[in-house]
Amino acid sequence: GGMAHFEKGEDEPAEVDTILWCTGYHYSVPFLTGDVVETRNGRIEPLYEHLFHPSFGARLSFIGLGFRILPFPFFEIQAKWVAKCLAGGCELPPKQEMLRRALSFYESIDREGARIDMTHCMDGIQWDYLERITSQVEGCEKLEDWKIQLYELNRAKKAKHPNQYRDLVLPEERPFMDAGREAMIREDHHHNL
């Protein structure tokens, strides 16, 4: 570990092992010099599938850029894809094809008149995106339906009951909560065999 000194807040330095930079949706990668990536107007580019830099493939990956998502399963599926590629168990398209697809995606955003800072917004497309990844990565399981349904129900609940949604359980959530509980019990039982 080392010592972290803070400009504001605590007067005393703190002993730390790791510093994790969580910059939110204001992307900045000053540690990448030159013109490797651009962080113009709230997106990191060029990226194939919001994840891989075409020039470097899996060696330069940006896990977790997507927002308006079911975060941890989303990150896990992306991480499995990167790991599989790094281990040689999954091939990415050639550099020029990844770049072509990335640029084509950016052009579609421009044609639709969407804001550039919404490039990595996965609202309405995250399930298809995750399905596309899991279908091409051997051993990467598809996201369970109960998780998708609970996410969508909770999203609607949050919009309708912004001050109570965490404590409020709706009757339509119960079957998916039960399915999730049963899946976790099965998985725990499987691991204990």
Side-chain angles (χ1 to χ4, degrees):
M3 301 302 285
H5 300 269
F6 300 94
E7 288 183 26
K8 298 177 183 173
E10 296 185 27
D11 295 329
E12 296 296 320
E15 188 172 342
V16 297
D17 290 322
T18 303
I19 296 176
L20 178 65
W21 297 101
C22 299
T23 60
Y25 304 132
H26 302 285
Y27 305 117
S28 175
V29 288
F31 46 87
L32 295 175
T33 58
D35 59 355
V36 173
V37 296
E38 189 170 326
T39 56
R40 182 175 63 96
N41 299 321
R43 82 172 167 212
I44 293 185
E45 61 179 280
L47 292 180
Y48 169 67
E49 292 287 7
H50 303 275
L51 188 56
F52 300 106
H53 190 288
S55 294
F56 300 94
R59 293 178 297 129
L60 183 57
S61 306
F62 294 83
I63 296 169
L65 290 181
F67 59 96
R68 294 192 186 159
I69 57 169
L70 179 59
F72 298 115
F74 187 94
F75 303 154
E76 179 182 8
I77 289 170
Q78 283 188 321
K80 285 181 178 179
W81 190 12
V82 170
K84 197 70 150 181
C85 289
L86 289 171
C90 185
E91 285 191 34
L92 293 172
K95 171 185 171 178
Q96 290 305 321
E97 178 61 15
M98 287 193 288
L99 183 59
R100 185 194 67 73
R101 289 189 201 176
L103 295 176
S104 175
F105 175 68
Y106 301 148
E107 288 170 6
S108 72
I109 289 172
D110 292 342
R111 275 194 310 277
E112 293 170 7
R115 294 183 359 222
I116 291 174
D117 65 334
M118 298 302 282
T119 297
H120 302 299
C121 177
M122 305 303 281
D123 192 19
I125 64 169
Q126 74 170 319
W127 312 129
D128 290 338
Y129 173 81
L130 294 175
E131 174 74 26
R132 197 165 55 246
I133 293 173
T134 58
S135 70
Q136 57 187 312
V137 180
E138 186 181 331
C140 189
E141 294 180 18
K142 182 180 172 194
L143 193 61
E144 298 96 331
D145 187 59
W146 65 268
K147 288 181 183 176
I148 294 170
Q149 297 304 322
L150 269 179
Y151 173 84
E152 293 297 343
L153 286 168
N154 275 279
R155 193 173 148 195
K157 180 172 63 172
K158 185 177 181 180
K160 191 172 182 178
H161 307 283
N163 298 324
Q164 314 168 270
Y165 76 95
R166 285 187 175 103
D167 300 319
L168 183 64
V169 176
L170 302 175
E172 55 268 33
E173 291 177 285
R174 294 252 180 237
F176 302 110
M177 292 169 75
D178 292 342
R181 191 175 301 108
E182 289 169 17
M184 287 186 273
I185 289 170
R186 277 193 309 273
E187 186 172 320
D188 187 51
H189 178 71
H190 176 74
H191 287 300
N192 290 330
L193 291 178

